[in-house]
Amino acid sequence: MTFAEDRLARHLVDGESVRALATGSFPGEPGSEPVAVGLTDRRVLCVSAGGGLTDIRYEFVSSVRSRPRHRWQYRYRIDDALLVGAVGALLTAIGVLVAIGVAAGVGPIGGALTTALAAGAATTLAATRRVRTMTGLEQTVRRLLIGAGGFLLLSIAALAALASSISPSLLAAATVAGLGNLAFTPRFVAAFDGVGLSRTRATELTIATVDGETVRLLFEGDSEFGRMLGASLARDESASSNDFEDNGPTLLARDPLEGEGR
């Protein structure tokens, strides 16, 4: 017996049958626990894992609205913790380099500019070396790219020598650090692949009653529970109409059902 079946079976009355069964939750509640939701021949029955009970008889339902929702979920992974540590270490290293720039007399802006130039220089060096070892490029294209990389490196060196806001010593140290980072990072890329953050689809069902109350339920994926509830309400309304012809009870007013995704 499933969770939903076990929960609902305890609250069914004699002669009551279940037409549809699902597991959902009440959205917007922190630490929301699973809720067994059933459509019986006379009501909507919701029983939480903690034993909480919510039931709505069909004759008291004024409207139903079902719409798709998307939500972000995070599943903790050890690799993600390593990634956060790596990012923190990188930011710390940048802060240290900027502080060194301040100590060298070029100020925080000069330190940041020097660090940015060093990152560019390290990337250019690594890219130029990569182009030299590539075999899929034509010789002319390879020479052009290597020449462009060399020109960029000379430009960075000239800027470091002429601009008073750039520290040559910091530029050299940061470039070496950047090369080391580029060399070792690929070894850890596989561990950081697929961060545990995912976007999931869900269906939110809103049930309004004639006394002004509203019950909201959330189901995973593209749930058809709203359509099944609409079918149950239609059957109940039809049965009530027959009773009206025979016995004359007054029916409660009911708004038209709203379709899926509206």
Side-chain angles (χ1 to χ4, degrees), residues 10-222:
R10 304 176 187 179
H11 297 277
L12 296 177
V13 298
D14 291 339
E16 186 175 18
S17 60
V18 178
R19 294 172 175 169
L21 194 61
T23 300
S25 62
F26 291 121
E29 296 184 5
S32 180
E33 57 189 3
V35 176
V37 186
L39 300 180
T40 74
D41 53 354
R42 63 192 72 178
R43 58 178 172 163
V44 182
L45 185 60
C46 309
V47 185
S48 68
L53 174 66
T54 301
D55 70 324
I56 310 169
R57 295 188 65 87
Y58 293 144
E59 61 264 30
F60 290 104
V61 176
S62 63
S63 65
V64 177
R65 182 181 182 184
S66 180
R67 66 186 182 94
R69 280 186 52 180
H70 295 87
R71 61 177 179 174
W72 289 97
Q73 283 186 324
Y74 175 76
R75 295 180 176 84
Y76 176 78
R77 305 183 319 157
I78 296 179
D79 291 344
D80 295 342
L82 295 175
L83 178 59
V84 171
V87 173
L90 179 60
L91 294 176
T92 301
I94 293 175
V96 170
L97 292 173
V98 172
I100 293 175
V102 174
V106 295
I109 296 179
L113 180 59
T114 302
T115 304
L117 281 176
T123 303
T124 302
L125 278 169
T128 303
R129 182 179 179 278
R130 175 64 176 167
V131 168
R132 289 188 61 187
T133 59
M134 290 179 67
T135 58
L137 292 177
E138 296 182 3
Q139 187 174 4
T140 303
V141 176
R142 186 186 298 112
R143 288 177 178 177
L144 179 62
L145 293 176
I146 292 175
F151 176 77
L152 182 57
L153 290 172
L154 288 175
S155 300
I156 293 175
L159 183 61
L162 298 176
S164 59
S165 60
I166 296 176
S167 170
S169 58
L170 175 61
L171 177 66
T175 299
V176 172
L179 288 172
N181 180 68
L182 290 173
F184 285 99
T185 296
R187 301 183 182 183
F188 303 99
V189 169
F192 301 143
D193 184 31
V195 177
L197 186 65
S198 60
R199 189 168 182 254
T200 60
R201 289 178 60 86
T203 302
E204 183 180 72
L205 183 66
T206 304
I207 306 172
T209 63
V210 293
D211 57 359
E213 297 295 327
T214 300
V215 176
R216 295 169 58 225
L217 293 164
L218 191 66
F219 301 95
E220 297 296 332
D222 298 320

